[in-house]
Amino acid sequence: MTSDGRGIVVFIWLPEKGYVPAALLTEHRPDRLCTLGYGQRYIRRPDAVPLDPVSFPLVMATPATSRRGEMFSVLRDAAPDRWGRKILSLLAGRHAVTLTETDILTAAHSANRIGALAFGESASEGPKSMALWAGGSVYSVPRDDIEQVAYVVAKVDGLDDDADLDELRRALPEEAFMQALASSLSVGGGRPKALVEMDDGAYIAKFSRRGDPWNEPRIEHATMTLAARCGISVAGTRVLETAYGSVLLVKRFDRTDAGEPRHFISGFTLHAAISEEGMWGGYQDLAQLARQHGDAFSGQELFRRMVFNALCANIDDHPRNHAWFVTRTGIAITPVYDVVPTQARFRKYELALACGHRGREATLTNVLSWPEPFGLRKDEAEDIGMGIVKVMRGWREHYAACGVAERDIRELEHRFAQLPG
């Protein structure tokens, strides 16, 4: 490994203390490697929280080294995903594939960014946007601007070339353009999103997308609220209507009631043996790993999610859609924040994670076949499973009450085909 490298300070928000420098991320570009090491002053703090309690505990004596060409999983959790990377390439004026993972991670700072991690050039200056185009801190969108943001998002979602982007820039004030786009940089997932400030707190706004076969925001709202009725811990949701389609508002789980950021890790970080490019393991793995790291209560929660997902064909249940809060003493599962039936129609469905003795097969028989890793006996698992089935049998009435159109409900019939009558 070459000795020279670019140093980036990793900050973490500590309760009632704000952002404090925690670690140094060093990028060695010729080798396409990164190292990550805690600061000695940070690990001596009595309130220090591990960035990653699985692969990067506070007692780690030497800096960790990433896989070649990859970012540390806990930092990847804080980076933009597909939609955010599309926005980043537009704002940077170059395609995201030409940027390194550290460029993507550190481009734009926002006090409202997802999670509790932030990045900067020096410990004394604090977090800051490190891309030349970013200018300053990115901020969330006020409620009154959602209509304009929906317009910009719809235009960007339909972009096919840079000429269209130039035309869009000319049609909007620069501040509005930047605000509408840059606020989504730290949000994961592939759907168009923006961070929004409402009267009752911070939300993630999820917009319709070109080519949607149904009203995705309304269907996700109905699915999330149905999951809550099944005893699953979910982030609060509601729907706003704009001239450019429905907008789903998802209450941010990564903020305390006082508005302070909360540190969390994804299932990819918890399950360090897997990677985004390989096999993702199963729900049973996550339950056992969570218990090993201090979460004695997520077994039943994960079991409920697994049953629900199988019965409504939510096959986008990959490890990044499960997360755990991190404290000094352990971890605790977060509310679920992304649950919706797949738009694709298949003869049979498979979940993203293995869910029983028959692998990823999305059937009630399979999800009830191996409950022990969740800390459940077979009779307990069957009682919980049938309780979920009983609630879900009323899905049509529930979706209709949530404003889902009759034509969309008819299309959803196929997604609920595994639900026993």
Side-chain angles (χ1 to χ4, degrees):
M1 184 186 299
T2 55
S3 59
D4 59 329
R6 174 194 183 201
I8 298 162
V9 179
V10 181
F11 296 84
I12 188 170
W13 184 284
L14 296 180
E16 301 182 0
K17 300 294 192 305
Y19 283 116
V20 301
L24 183 68
L25 172 68
T26 304
E27 180 186 27
H28 305 272
R29 294 203 177 194
D31 303 301
R32 299 179 62 239
L33 295 172
C34 290
T35 57
L36 182 66
Y38 286 115
Q40 291 301 307
R41 182 178 298 180
Y42 178 73
I43 61 176
R44 288 195 296 268
R45 294 183 64 109
D47 57 352
V49 173
L51 302 183
D52 173 357
V54 179
S55 301
F56 196 51
L58 289 173
V59 295
M60 199 159 189
T62 59
T65 301
S66 69
R67 297 188 183 103
R68 188 175 300 276
E70 295 184 14
M71 179 53 66
F72 294 99
S73 182
V74 66
L75 301 185
R76 179 67 181 82
D77 289 343
D81 216 327
R82 294 189 304 276
W83 170 254
R85 289 173 187 237
K86 179 176 183 178
I87 297 305
L88 181 61
S89 66
L90 299 179
L91 296 174
R94 51 191 289 204
H95 201 283
V97 298
T98 68
L99 303 171
T100 69
E101 286 297 315
T102 50
D103 289 333
I104 292 169
L105 183 68
T106 64
H109 170 65
S110 168
N112 291 323
R113 69 179 297 147
I114 298 296
L117 301 185
F119 308 91
E121 295 175 334
S122 76
S124 59
E125 292 181 2
K128 63 180 293 187
S129 299
M130 297 177 65
L132 295 177
W133 54 263
S137 180
V138 177
Y139 44 94
S140 293
V141 176
R143 185 192 192 288
D144 294 343
D145 290 346
I146 290 180
E147 189 84 19
Q148 179 170 255
V149 174
Y151 166 71
V152 175
V153 165
K155 289 291 186 182
V156 171
D157 186 43
L159 286 179
D160 292 318
D161 54 54
D162 292 338
D164 293 333
L165 176 63
D166 291 338
E167 182 179 344
L168 180 59
R169 283 182 182 274
R170 287 193 296 270
L172 287 171
E174 183 68 16
E175 181 179 0
F177 184 88
M178 288 291 290
Q179 183 184 41
L181 298 185
S183 69
S184 66
L185 282 177
S186 67
V187 190
R191 296 195 66 83
K193 301 180 183 72
L195 302 180
V196 179
E197 289 295 330
M198 304 297 288
D199 295 338
D200 61 339
Y203 285 79
I204 297 172
K206 302 174 73 171
F207 301 89
S208 299
R209 187 169 57 188
R210 178 177 56 166
D212 280 345
W214 55 30
N215 189 327
E216 180 88 354
R218 283 212 169 270
I219 289 173
E220 184 166 0
H221 168 65
T223 309
M224 294 272 281
T225 50
L226 182 63
R229 291 178 56 190
C230 292
I232 296 169
S233 175
V234 305
T237 59
R238 53 182 159 138
V239 178
L240 291 180
E241 294 298 334
T242 75
Y244 309 97
S246 301
V247 179
L248 176 69
L249 298 180
V250 181
K251 185 77 171 179
R252 291 183 58 175
F253 68 87
D254 65 323
R255 291 295 185 266
T256 66
D257 292 340
E260 288 196 292
R262 299 186 69 178
H263 182 42
F264 69 90
I265 59 173
S266 74
F268 276 116
T269 300
L270 176 63
H271 197 343
I274 64 174
S275 70
E276 297 202 39
E277 291 73 32
M279 298 297 290
W280 292 342
Y283 281 93
Q284 288 82 358
D285 300 323
L286 292 178
Q288 291 175 315
L289 288 164
R291 188 179 303 112
Q292 291 171 18
H293 291 277
D295 185 356
F297 305 103
S298 66
Q300 187 175 132
E301 170 70 15
L302 285 167
F303 180 79
R304 287 180 180 274
R305 292 184 190 183
M306 177 181 70
V307 173
F308 186 86
N309 289 337
L311 296 181
C312 73
N314 172 33
I315 61 174
D316 193 35
D317 57 327
H318 54 76
R320 204 170 298 287
N321 277 338
H322 304 279
W324 280 260
F325 294 121
V326 179
T327 66
R328 186 175 178 86
T329 56
I331 64 174
I333 198 166
T334 74
V336 70
Y337 42 85
D338 191 336
V339 181
V340 65
T342 179
Q343 293 181 358
R345 182 186 287 202
F346 299 114
R347 188 171 62 87
K348 295 181 179 180
Y349 290 99
E350 289 188 334
L351 299 183
L353 297 173
C355 50
H357 287 315
R358 298 178 69 170
R360 297 186 293 124
E361 179 184 286
T363 63
L364 183 61
T365 299
N366 192 37
V367 296
L368 294 180
S369 68
W370 190 19
E372 290 82 5
F374 301 99
L376 297 170
R377 300 190 309 270
K378 284 193 177 293
D379 62 314
E380 292 174 323
E382 289 176 2
D383 286 345
I384 293 172
M386 295 314 297
I388 292 172
V389 167
K390 183 178 180 180
V391 174
M392 291 184 72
R393 283 176 179 151
W395 74 267
R396 297 173 187 82
E397 295 78 12
H398 178 80
Y399 277 56
C402 291
V404 177
E406 178 60 33
R407 64 176 295 274
D408 291 346
I409 290 176
R410 288 197 298 271
E411 177 60 27
L412 283 161
E413 293 275 357
H414 189 75
R415 313 309 188 275
F416 287 85
Q418 285 296 326
L419 186 64

